[in-house]
Amino acid sequence: MPDTVVCISCHVLEEPYAVETTVRSALNMGYDVIVGYDKRMPDSHKNVLNKYKVTVAVSGEEGIGNNRNMLAHMAVELGYRVFIQSDCHVMFIPRSGKPVGNNVFLMFPVEEKQLLVADKLAGKAFMYIGTVHDYNDIRKIRFVGKESKYVYFFGEPVFSIETSVLKRIADIQSGYIYLLPGYGYEVADVMLTAARMGYVFTKSDAFIYAHRINKGKERRWKGRWTREQMLMFHANMYIYSAKHGFKSPVYYKELEERFKERIEIAKRVNEELPMPAKRVFDLMKEAVRRRDMVLF
């Protein structure tokens, strides 16, 4: 069994061609692949995935964060050493070697049908590592340049991390690896938690990846934003802010009632983590001054 697994989180409204592109490119790198869904797996995806040797898992809980939590636990429990998280609309493009641990990778955005030919666009694409938010405003985004040697956290969908780190996170979070249930900030939360535990994510040349960007007007994108999804989006912001000491954004009273357990875990973990989030941002500023990390 390979020591690395690619875990792909899918929404039921995702286009089958994008899922297939991601799965095929991951398998071509020689990794095991697990594809995860929250509530159900649509028939259109079954028709695609039946062609490939992959594991499919359904969490039964709505929310991409819940989905990713399930996949991360599977990677730990199945004995993999390295977990690669992925969205279901990226293309992996091999370069040299394999990820060895806590890594980030160069990426470039593509539009709808460009995803199918992304490997031919890589040489001309504008590449960067990812995005990070400001300490004083978690909605204010800056880009991390490709020249950076490492990052402390970011919000992009693809990174690799040693499962031993995931297990440590679960141990302090009452079993949760991804504490945030829905979409938004759940990736940054896992990485920022690891950073506050003393881990750094290093740039890797194992592969680059193309990420299809939704512009917000697509039917699949509009279709996902039910009241339930919006509630979990706000829950993510509230739990994330409570956990890392950010100024809490607007929230609904319903959040405190429904997600009471996770909010309480978040507040406790914030007190127990050895490094405050503010210190991580100070370290980032120092890295920018040394040009070890490039923001723009």
Side-chain angles (χ1 to χ4, degrees):
M1 182 178 76
D3 78 342
T4 299
V5 61
V6 180
C7 291
I8 302 168
S9 297
C10 285
H11 192 277
V12 296
L13 297 179
E14 183 57 78
E15 297 287 351
Y17 86 89
V19 178
E20 183 169 15
T21 299
T22 304
V23 168
R24 186 174 61 244
S25 64
L27 289 172
N28 286 343
M29 294 195 299
Y31 302 127
D32 285 352
V33 173
I34 304 175
V35 184
Y37 296 85
D38 52 3
K39 295 291 285 185
R40 63 182 177 86
M41 177 186 180
D43 290 339
S44 60
H45 290 201
K46 291 179 184 177
N47 296 335
V48 166
L49 296 180
N50 283 342
K51 298 188 293 184
Y52 300 97
K53 188 178 180 180
V54 300
T55 299
V56 176
V58 179
S59 68
E61 295 180 274
E62 186 166 358
I64 199 71
N66 289 326
N67 179 5
R68 287 174 169 159
N69 184 60
M70 171 194 68
L71 293 174
H73 274 285
M74 288 183 68
V76 172
E77 292 160 5
L78 290 171
Y80 291 100
R81 186 180 64 83
V82 177
F83 164 85
I84 298 177
Q85 183 201 263
S86 175
D87 269 0
C88 56
H89 43 260
V90 310
M91 176 187 280
F92 296 101
I93 304 169
R95 298 186 90 183
S96 60
K98 291 182 179 293
V100 296
N102 304 327
N103 294 145
V104 294
F105 311 92
L106 293 182
M107 60 91 75
F108 61 99
V110 294
E111 297 187 5
E112 193 72 44
K113 296 304 180 181
Q114 289 180 321
L115 181 62
L116 294 170
V117 293
D119 52 342
K120 297 179 176 61
L121 304 173
K124 302 175 183 178
F126 170 71
M127 294 189 187
Y128 57 97
I129 285 178
T131 57
V132 296
H133 62 71
D134 188 80
Y135 179 76
N136 295 313
D137 183 356
I138 64 172
R139 302 192 200 201
K140 184 177 179 181
I141 299 297
R142 296 188 70 180
F143 291 85
V144 183
K146 66 180 180 179
E147 299 84 2
S148 299
K149 296 179 181 179
Y150 52 82
V151 298
Y152 292 89
F153 80 97
F154 70 175
E156 301 303 323
V158 178
F159 68 97
S160 68
I161 187 169
E162 294 183 8
T163 55
S164 60
V165 181
L166 297 181
K167 188 175 185 306
R168 283 194 64 197
I169 292 173
D171 288 344
I172 67 170
Q173 291 190 167
S174 301
Y176 290 103
I177 295 175
Y178 284 76
L179 187 62
L180 282 58
Y183 167 81
Y185 302 96
E186 78 282 356
V187 177
D189 175 53
V190 168
M191 297 187 77
L192 185 53
T193 302
R196 293 180 62 186
M197 297 168 77
Y199 296 99
V200 173
F201 291 80
T202 305
K203 181 174 71 176
S204 171
D205 292 324
F207 57 81
I208 58 178
Y209 69 98
H211 183 208
R212 190 204 64 205
I213 303 299
N214 291 308
K215 295 184 176 180
K217 297 181 180 180
E218 299 87 352
R219 185 166 59 179
R220 63 172 173 271
W221 190 247
K222 290 182 178 179
R224 72 179 292 169
W225 290 112
T226 62
R227 184 183 185 281
E228 178 71 10
Q229 285 284 336
M230 285 300 298
L231 180 69
M232 287 194 291
F233 175 76
H234 286 282
N236 273 20
M237 284 197 291
Y238 186 56
I239 295 168
Y240 183 63
S241 298
K243 180 175 169 183
H244 298 293
F246 301 120
K247 183 179 179 181
S248 296
V250 176
Y251 66 96
Y252 306 119
K253 182 66 177 177
E254 185 178 345
L255 295 180
E256 289 194 329
E257 298 168 355
R258 180 169 169 183
F259 298 100
K260 180 179 178 180
E261 178 205 16
R262 299 197 195 205
I263 293 169
E264 289 179 349
I265 292 171
K267 292 177 178 177
R268 174 181 58 77
V269 170
N270 186 42
E271 296 177 353
E272 294 178 356
L273 285 171
M275 186 187 303
K278 180 65 167 60
R279 177 56 181 156
V280 174
F281 282 81
D282 288 342
L283 290 172
M284 287 170 55
K285 290 179 183 177
E286 293 172 13
V288 169
R289 283 195 292 269
R290 295 194 307 267
R291 301 293 291 177
D292 290 334
M293 187 173 178
V294 181
L295 299 181
F296 57 93

